[in-house]
């Protein structure tokens, strides 16, 4: 194996000069640098990252714990979007700053999280990011006080720096846009009541109605699924029948996520309702595999997973640089409304 001493001999310089060229920590004449770099190329010398880490106390490594790889095909039942989109945002941001991302997958088993985190700390990562499968509260193992950790798509009771979706604001934006297009009877078909997002999105729904001067009618709020693990079209069918039996039925139904909206399309059509001529439908997430292939294409609001990943990376890099506060409330990222053809603009048809 070629060593720094072999390079120094080939370039007719001292090992210290080779070290200066490699680390860029002292001025070196241009011709000397050229000689060293040519010797490195000819000998195929690969600098030891471990040695550099010991000298600088910087590894350039960041650890990421997620279930995005093993659970990607099935995670959408709960999250709407696979968390791999968050990982992509993190990877993109880390590359821009020259950091290397080490990814460990939990395989959907929470008991794997502590040993994975411990392994990362043993390998001298400069920081850790934990990505949850959906917006939720988490309990992570105790870590050394010096550990830099950022949570994405989740939060804890320790005020660990966290980045989460602004579910309340996202739903508010969507319902506000729908009301602005002349809809006054806006129904909401929610996800499982056990999810954090369900409570927040209902709050956003009510806020938008208040801002539009529309009364809140509890009869227009329905549960589209009772369990995040077992979404059932039969429950939805019963609720749709109830909604359309009201004296004033809804002109539009907002769904807890795009997958629910896809099921609703089927329920409505099997019941003889045409979308959007007889009833409009809106989703949540902007899962384009669904929203752009449904007919008509689905109006929805973005679940900003890529932006959350990028912001989580920025927070961690700031922590590493010592310029970000270590604690605080979760930072919320809101998505934009994506308007397509599944919601009729009633201001143009009145």
């Amino acid at each position: 194996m070629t060593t720094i001493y072999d390079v120094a001999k080939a370039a007719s310089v001292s090992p210290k000069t080779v070290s200066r060229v490699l680390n860029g920590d002292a001025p070196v004449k241009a011709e000397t640098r050229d000689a060293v770099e040519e010797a490195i190329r000819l000998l195929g010398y690969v600098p030891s990252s471990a040695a550099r880490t010991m000298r600088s106390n910087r590894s350039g490594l960041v650890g990421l714990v997620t279930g995005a790889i093993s659970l990607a095909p099935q995670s959408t039942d709960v999250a709407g979007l696979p968390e791999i989109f968050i990982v992509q945002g993190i990877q993109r941001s880390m590359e821009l700053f020259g950091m290397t991302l080490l990814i460990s997958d939990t395989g959907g088993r929470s008991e794997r999280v502590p040993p994975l985190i411990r392994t990362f700390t043993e390998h001298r990562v400069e920081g850790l990011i934990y990505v949850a499968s959906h917006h939720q509260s988490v309990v992570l193992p105790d870590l050394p006080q010096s550990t830099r950790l950022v949570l994405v798509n989740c939060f804890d009771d320790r005020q660990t720096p966290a980045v989460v979706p602004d579910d309340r604001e996202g739903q508010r934006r969507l319902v506000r846009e729908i009301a602005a297009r002349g809809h006054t009877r806006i129904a909401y078909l929610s996800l499982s009541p056990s999810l954090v997002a369900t409570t927040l999105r209902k709050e956003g729904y009510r806020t938008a109605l208040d801002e539009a001067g529309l009364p809140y009618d509890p009869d227009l709020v329905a549960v589209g699924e009772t369990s995040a693990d077992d979404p059932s079209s039969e429950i939805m069918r019963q609720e749709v029948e109830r909604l359309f039996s009201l004296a004033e039925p809804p002109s539009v139904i907002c769904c807890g996520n795009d997958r629910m909206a896809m099921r609703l399309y089927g329920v409505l059509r099997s019941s003889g309702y045409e979308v959007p001529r007889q009833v409009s439908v809106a989703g949540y997430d902007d899962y384009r595999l669904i929203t752009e292939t449904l007919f008509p294409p689905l109006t929805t609001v973005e679940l900003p997973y890529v932006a959350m990943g990028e912001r989580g990376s920025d927070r961690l890099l700031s922590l590493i640089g010592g310029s970000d506060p270590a604690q605080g409330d979760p930072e919320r990222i809101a998505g934009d409304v994506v308007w397509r053809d599944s919601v009729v603009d009633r201001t143009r048809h009145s």
Side-chain angles (χ1 to χ4, degrees), residues 47-226:
S48 169
S49 59
R52 288 203 304 272
T53 297
M54 292 176 63
R55 290 192 299 269
S56 65
N57 202 31
R58 297 291 301 274
S59 66
L61 303 176
V62 168
L64 171 65
V65 178
T66 176
I69 299 171
S70 60
L71 298 182
Q74 57 216 22
S75 63
T76 54
D77 284 341
V78 175
L81 281 177
E83 62 200 276
I84 194 68
F85 290 106
I86 300 177
V87 175
Q88 289 171 353
I90 294 171
Q91 176 68 35
R92 182 183 306 172
S93 182
M94 288 298 173
E95 283 182 353
L96 290 175
F97 286 88
M99 303 292 282
T100 298
L101 190 65
L102 305 179
I103 303 176
S104 282
D105 191 274
T106 63
R109 293 155 47 199
S110 59
E111 68 272 15
R112 283 180 51 82
V113 174
L116 288 176
I117 290 178
R118 184 169 58 251
T119 298
F120 276 139
T121 57
E122 290 172 353
H123 284 76
R124 299 174 62 90
V125 295
E126 296 188 46
L128 291 166
I129 299 177
Y130 179 79
V131 177
S133 61
H134 62 279
H135 190 177
Q136 61 186 284
S137 175
V138 297
V139 178
L140 296 181
D142 292 331
L143 299 173
Q145 191 171 2
S146 60
T147 302
R148 304 176 183 97
L149 171 67
V150 171
L151 308 177
V152 180
N153 213 25
C154 57
F155 57 93
D156 63 9
D157 292 334
R158 303 176 182 176
Q159 291 190 309
T160 301
V163 179
V164 298
D166 195 337
D167 289 297
R168 183 188 294 107
E169 176 62 14
Q171 195 70 59
R172 186 190 76 85
R173 291 179 180 182
L174 178 62
V175 175
R176 179 187 61 189
E177 291 288 331
I178 291 172
R181 285 165 169 80
H183 292 270
T184 58
R185 296 287 288 171
I186 304 172
Y188 183 67
L189 203 59
S190 77
L191 294 168
S192 168
S194 64
L195 297 176
V196 171
T198 297
T199 300
L200 295 173
R201 292 178 190 177
K202 282 184 178 179
E203 291 174 0
Y205 165 77
R206 293 196 65 164
T207 299
L209 292 179
D210 290 341
E211 292 174 348
L214 299 175
Y216 171 74
D217 183 350
D219 286 338
L220 289 176
V221 179
V223 177
E225 58 186 45
T226 57

